[in-house]
Amino acid sequence: MSIRHNEDTTPSHPHQQHLVRSLRFLDVMMIGIAGLIGGGIFVLTGPAIGLAGGSVIIAFIINAIITLFTAMGYAELGSAIPEAGGGYLWVREGLPRPNAFISGWMAWFAHMVAGSLYAVGFGSFLFSLLKMVNILGDHPLFGIVPFDKLIAVASIIAFTYVNVKGVSEVGKAGIIVTIFQLGTIAALIGAGFWTIHTHPTWSGNFADLVPNGIGGIVAAMGLTFITFEGYEIIVQTGEEVKNPKKNIPRAIFISLAIVVVLYCLVAFVSIGAIFPKDISAWKFIGQNGDLGIIKAAGFFLPYGAFIVIIGGIVSSLAALNATTFSSSRVSFAMGRHYNLPHQLSSIHPKFKTPHVAIVISGIIMAIVAYTLPLNQIAVAAGVIFLLLFTQVNIAVINIRRIYGDKLDYGFKIPFFPVIPVIGIFLKLGLALYLLVTQPLSWGISVLWILVGFALYRMYTFKKEVEHYAPMVTSEGDLTRKHYRILIPYTPENPDRLIKYAIRVAKENDGEVNVLRVLTVPTQTPLSAGTAFADAARKSFEPLENMLEQENILNHYLFRISHEPSEAVLTTIEEQKIDLVITDFEIYRNNRVLQTLATCNVLAVRTTGGDITSFETSNESRIDLSQNGSRPKKKMVVLYDSAGDHSELVLKTTSWLEHSGRFNVSVLTVSKRREFNPAESAKEFDHPLANDNKRKEYLEQVGVEFGEIYLSEETGQSSEKSANLIMSAVNASEPDLVVTGASIGKFSFFNNSHFLTLLDQLNCPIIIARQFTFPGVHRAKAWFLGLIKEISRH
């Protein structure tokens, strides 16, 4: 997968249409403010005050801090990868399939639901205003069409038209509406402070600052946190904003700061500037719920209720404009990448806008606004945004890992990766909070995700593969095995990995798939590669003969792609691959494959004179007839019991040992622990013997045990750890070494001292990388260790 590093970089897909950069910093910031404020500042602040009293300001500030952890991720990636799609695009780059489609599917839904909600809010506000001045009554139009719904649909149509006309019109409309919105809020705040200034006793309204305790603050946070997540809209402008490297981070942080201050000030003056009889100010506002701020404004602002209603109307319009823009950019980006029908990525020849995506999104928003119970559906948008933000935080970490300093960042997250990790836990925590408090939100969210996943499996994945890595030739047995091995074909030494694959296939009753990828320059259509199909097929024949001699079910796959890693990843998912056996150097230099592959990997590093260490059936018979017996070779296994890859290391050891060609020596890498005479001697048994599942592996394998003790000081130094491990391995004089992809916190793929260790071993080395979510195995080991310590005491 390749990406555009900045606005001046050549696009990843040269035949792909791109939007025009015409939005200025002020345009983007106003779009962000409109999306962040929405109608929530007038509608949600009242109920939040009812929950937390004056401490609602604390709730707003904490929500802002929580928001900042993820906002920094958006600022970093928005500056480095400024394309339409925002979070969807980054998840596509940083997480394996089908995460990209699911994130885009969720984001599109959430933006459209938010837009429909703003349109309905606008309709309700305007209808109430028209009833106040006796222009409209309570009777529906023609007896069947509610006026508020009609106004909502009309507003969606109007802003759909504005968005189609051009992004500059969107920016102008956003500036005008947002300035009017801010003016209304400024009038409310100004009048409130004047009233506070003239009433010396105002501080008494905050005497009981936390009336409902910490629980009230948490409840207010849960109600309002989603109002601070509108920065997602800002990054959707990435392909249309001038100087995105600078302007996107600035717009995110400045708009977020402005909105947080405004929320706090509105809450402060609403409580501090009213003096109702026989009831405290915060209770009065809370009892009036959604109308709390309107009622409060009537105390200190002439025509306060009218002005707040006007403010609500304008705020809803501003947010509707922003969400109409953002929802269309998500569907446009998904259409561009064939995750939705490609027609959604078409750009109007005159207006240079994604007109099809805008119109389709507008139609769906209008239908949702008119027909569906939005109050129930809208709660799901909060869960969906939280799940999207969780994915983006993970993608931030992975994209740094894949591309490093190749991207041109306008902003980089400090204290990386601590900040995005905290963001992950915070967003998941808030999502679980909604599961407890509003389970219906999760029910709707899960239903929408399942619908999307079904669409992905039946339609989207096929279309994506056809465009990015089409299959030219697929030959082999019609029957399939449950366990499937993939070998990427290497023309310079095509049979080097086959013997390893044969050994594993025999042990697992599996099949071997050989993939050859023809890489086509990005400027060349993929169809040009079909001319090489026959030549590629002939190159497979020697491997096919080897596999047939061993009675191994096999398939030959030939793909064309602009990016080899895309073809490999596609094959892993399409063919349901369990294990990839590949060259170590190729795998080590492919960060995309390391990060996004969703199966186990054996990376084989050979020494030129690779004896492969075990033979095929024919070779074994020749060896036996000549010598009568086969001398066994020495296989040394480096085992990190707390490592993420320990299970695959032991499985690999078992697979190879069953060839009958090895004596096995397991060197367990562990931290030194001082001996305690009070403890039973069995506490110092070999660590492998304490795990029943692992013990089953060892009972199949005759092994001798050894240990490499790492002191705390040595364990913190990659050089000292590598030297100690090197001494222990060389002492065993191995013919083959099997190890996990990492030992402790050091990786064989990117740590210089551990790479030097591999260079100094004069034998084949198999590096096992087990697919798992990062840290899961280590967390499990830590938990089991904790339980053991508790039981010991």
Side-chain angles (χ1 to χ4, degrees):
M1 296 183 184
S2 64
I3 54 181
R4 296 171 64 197
H5 294 178
N6 54 51
E7 61 183 307
D8 300 318
T9 306
T10 303
S12 307
H13 308 287
H15 309 294
Q16 178 175 283
Q17 289 182 302
H18 292 274
L19 301 171
V20 177
R21 296 193 182 277
S22 58
L23 292 174
R24 301 163 299 165
F25 166 71
L26 183 62
D27 299 323
V28 179
M29 189 181 72
M30 289 300 185
I31 289 174
I33 290 174
L36 283 160
I37 292 179
I41 198 165
F42 298 117
V43 176
L44 294 180
T45 303
I49 290 173
L51 292 169
S55 60
V56 71
I57 296 172
I58 298 174
F60 289 154
I61 293 172
I62 296 175
N63 272 342
I65 294 171
I66 291 173
T67 296
L68 191 61
F69 285 101
T70 300
M72 283 192 280
Y74 270 77
E76 173 171 312
L77 294 182
S79 69
I81 312 175
E83 288 191 26
Y88 155 75
L89 177 69
W90 307 330
V91 172
R92 179 180 176 81
E93 294 291 344
L95 291 178
R97 293 187 180 98
N99 279 281
F101 174 81
I102 295 301
S103 68
W105 182 251
M106 292 192 303
W108 192 33
F109 171 81
H111 282 290
M112 287 190 298
V113 168
S116 301
L117 190 64
Y118 293 135
V120 170
F122 167 71
S124 298
F125 273 120
L126 184 57
F127 182 54
S128 299
L129 182 62
L130 294 175
K131 283 200 301 182
M132 286 174 60
V133 296
N134 298 317
I135 294 177
L136 292 177
D138 292 325
H139 300 291
L141 182 66
F142 307 124
I144 55 172
V145 181
F147 277 109
D148 55 342
K149 295 285 189 178
L150 184 63
I151 295 170
V153 171
S155 66
I156 292 172
I157 293 172
F159 278 103
T160 298
Y161 174 75
V162 169
N163 274 262
V164 170
K165 284 285 289 181
V167 70
S168 59
E169 278 72 15
V170 174
K172 291 174 184 176
I175 290 175
I176 293 170
V177 176
T178 305
I179 287 176
F180 198 90
Q181 174 190 39
L182 293 175
T184 305
I185 296 171
L188 181 70
I189 294 172
F193 272 109
W194 177 256
T195 303
I196 288 173
H197 176 69
T198 58
H199 287 75
T201 61
W202 66 269
S203 59
N205 288 351
F206 294 92
D208 189 4
L209 184 62
V210 191
N212 295 321
I214 300 298
I217 295 176
V218 173
M221 288 171 57
L223 178 67
T224 61
F225 73 87
I226 201 62
T227 62
F228 297 110
E229 310 294 350
Y231 52 81
E232 222 279 329
I233 295 173
I234 294 174
V235 299
Q236 298 297 342
T237 69
E239 201 167 314
E240 295 156 279
V241 62
K242 298 176 181 178
N243 191 10
K245 177 182 172 181
K246 178 180 178 181
N247 285 334
I248 287 181
R250 286 173 61 202
I252 288 174
F253 294 129
I254 293 175
S255 60
L256 184 59
I258 290 172
V259 170
V260 171
V261 171
L262 290 178
Y263 264 88
C264 291
L265 292 178
V266 167
F268 179 78
V269 299
S270 296
I271 298 172
I274 68 172
F275 305 93
K277 294 181 180 180
D278 303 324
I279 188 173
S280 57
W282 71 269
K283 281 186 178 179
F284 173 82
I285 296 171
Q287 286 178 358
N288 283 282
D290 295 349
L291 301 177
I293 300 301
I294 295 176
K295 296 289 186 181
F299 279 86
F300 57 85
L301 179 64
Y303 305 103
F306 179 80
I307 291 173
V308 170
I309 289 176
I310 293 294
I313 291 173
V314 174
S315 295
S316 297
L317 284 177
L320 174 59
N321 179 52
T323 50
T324 302
F325 177 90
S326 60
S327 62
S328 65
R329 268 49 181 185
V330 175
S331 56
F332 166 76
M334 294 183 72
R336 170 186 279 176
H337 294 289
Y338 296 84
N339 281 169
L340 287 176
H342 193 58
Q343 290 81 355
L344 288 168
S345 67
S346 63
I347 296 176
H348 196 282
K350 178 181 178 181
F351 303 129
K352 304 300 180 184
T353 56
H355 59 294
V356 176
I358 294 169
V359 170
I360 295 298
S361 298
I363 291 172
I364 296 174
M365 284 168 59
I367 294 172
V368 170
Y370 188 82
T371 61
L372 298 182
L374 271 179
N375 287 339
Q376 296 178 18
I377 296 177
V379 294
V383 174
I384 284 174
F385 274 124
L386 288 171
L387 296 178
L388 172 64
F389 296 148
T390 300
Q391 288 179 304
V392 169
N393 276 308
I394 298 172
V396 170
I397 298 172
N398 286 345
I399 287 174
R400 279 263 199 117
R401 183 183 302 162
I402 293 171
Y403 297 105
D405 294 329
K406 294 178 182 178
L407 294 177
D408 187 12
Y409 293 99
F411 170 82
K412 292 187 78 171
I413 300 173
F415 307 110
F416 186 89
V418 175
I419 296 295
V421 168
I422 293 174
I424 291 168
F425 282 104
L426 289 174
K427 298 306 177 186
L428 285 177
L430 289 169
L432 293 175
Y433 172 82
L434 286 179
L435 175 62
V436 174
T437 59
Q438 300 185 49
L440 179 62
S441 64
W442 269 85
I444 296 172
S445 301
V446 170
L447 178 62
W448 180 254
I449 292 171
L450 289 176
V451 169
F453 188 76
L455 177 65
Y456 173 79
R457 295 308 309 178
M458 292 187 294
Y459 172 81
T460 298
F461 179 65
K462 296 176 183 177
K463 290 294 181 183
E464 198 175 10
V465 169
E466 287 174 7
H467 181 74
Y468 287 109
M471 183 86 75
V472 178
T473 301
S474 176
E475 300 181 12
D477 299 280
L478 294 178
T479 56
R480 303 299 301 267
K481 294 287 189 178
H482 179 70
Y483 192 87
R484 300 176 185 179
I485 303 162
L486 177 68
I487 298 181
Y489 180 90
T490 52
E492 57 277 4
N493 196 356
D495 63 343
R496 185 165 57 87
L497 302 175
I498 283 292
K499 293 180 180 180
Y500 294 95
I502 290 172
R503 180 72 255 156
V504 177
K506 285 183 175 181
E507 289 297 311
N508 293 278
D509 188 26
E511 66 179 44
V512 175
N513 299 269
V514 180
L515 171 67
R516 182 160 191 181
V517 181
L518 178 64
T519 304
V520 177
T522 54
Q523 296 80 9
T524 306
L526 292 178
S527 57
T530 56
F532 299 92
D534 290 339
R537 175 66 186 85
K538 290 180 181 178
S539 67
F540 174 66
E541 291 176 357
L543 304 183
E544 184 180 28
N545 293 334
M546 292 180 63
L547 292 165
E548 294 291 347
Q549 288 175 6
E550 297 296 320
N551 295 317
I552 301 296
L553 205 66
N554 60 86
H555 300 89
Y556 169 70
L557 312 171
F558 177 48
R559 291 189 184 277
I560 304 172
S561 180
H562 293 306
E563 301 164 14
S565 55
E566 177 71 30
V568 175
L569 293 171
T570 297
T571 304
I572 289 172
E573 181 174 5
E574 181 185 66
Q575 301 296 320
K576 298 180 173 61
I577 298 299
D578 297 286
L579 177 71
V580 171
I581 300 178
T582 186
D583 177 78
F584 172 80
E585 291 299 331
I586 292 175
Y587 185 72
R588 182 176 77 85
N589 292 310
N590 193 327
R591 293 280 185 90
V592 172
L593 197 58
Q594 289 180 41
T595 306
L596 302 185
T598 54
C599 66
N600 294 334
V601 176
L602 296 183
V604 180
R605 190 180 192 277
T606 55
T607 56
D610 184 16
I611 57 173
T612 311
S613 299
F614 44 81
E615 290 82 12
T616 60
S617 299
N618 292 338
E619 291 170 329
S620 298
R621 284 193 291 271
I622 292 172
D623 186 79
L624 282 170
S625 65
Q626 293 175 345
N627 302 307
S629 63
R630 291 182 298 180
K632 288 192 175 185
K633 297 183 180 299
K634 186 67 170 291
M635 176 166 55
V636 173
V637 180
L638 287 173
Y639 179 77
D640 180 5
S641 59
D644 292 338
H645 316 286
S646 56
E647 299 287 352
L648 184 59
V649 168
L650 292 179
K651 285 182 179 180
T652 304
T653 302
S654 176
W655 296 334
L656 300 182
E657 192 278 340
H658 284 176
S659 68
R661 295 286 287 143
F662 294 102
N663 290 317
V664 180
S665 175
V666 176
L667 298 177
T668 299
V669 182
S670 58
K671 292 182 178 180
R672 184 184 299 276
R673 183 161 63 90
E674 298 300 328
F675 177 71
N676 183 350
E679 293 179 341
S680 169
K682 69 179 181 180
E683 297 291 345
F684 287 88
D685 287 347
H686 195 277
L688 293 175
N690 295 326
D691 189 318
N692 291 331
K693 185 179 290 186
R694 292 169 183 161
K695 191 174 180 180
E696 290 177 7
Y697 288 122
L698 297 175
E699 289 173 348
Q700 302 171 19
V701 182
V703 300
E704 59 184 45
F705 295 128
E707 291 192 67
I708 303 173
Y709 293 106
L710 298 181
S711 66
E712 185 173 347
E713 179 185 357
T714 302
Q716 295 301 315
S717 168
S718 62
E719 182 177 11
K720 291 180 179 179
S721 297
N723 289 338
L724 186 59
I725 292 169
M726 167 62 69
S727 299
V729 173
N730 279 338
S732 299
E733 300 182 348
D735 297 296
L736 175 69
V737 173
V738 177
T739 180
S742 60
I743 291 180
K745 61 181 181 179
F746 306 118
S747 170
F748 281 102
F749 295 114
N750 55 40
N751 183 277
S752 60
H753 295 114
F754 275 68
L755 286 169
T756 301
L757 186 158
L758 297 181
D759 290 335
Q760 294 174 353
L761 292 174
N762 190 30
C763 66
I765 306 159
I766 299 176
I767 296 92
R769 186 185 183 106
Q770 184 171 330
F771 171 67
T772 184
F773 293 105
V776 169
H777 184 87
R778 202 167 296 273
K780 177 184 174 182
W782 175 85
F783 180 75
L784 292 175
L786 179 64
I787 296 297
K788 191 177 295 184
E789 288 292 329
I790 293 173
S791 63
R792 182 182 297 133
H793 296 292

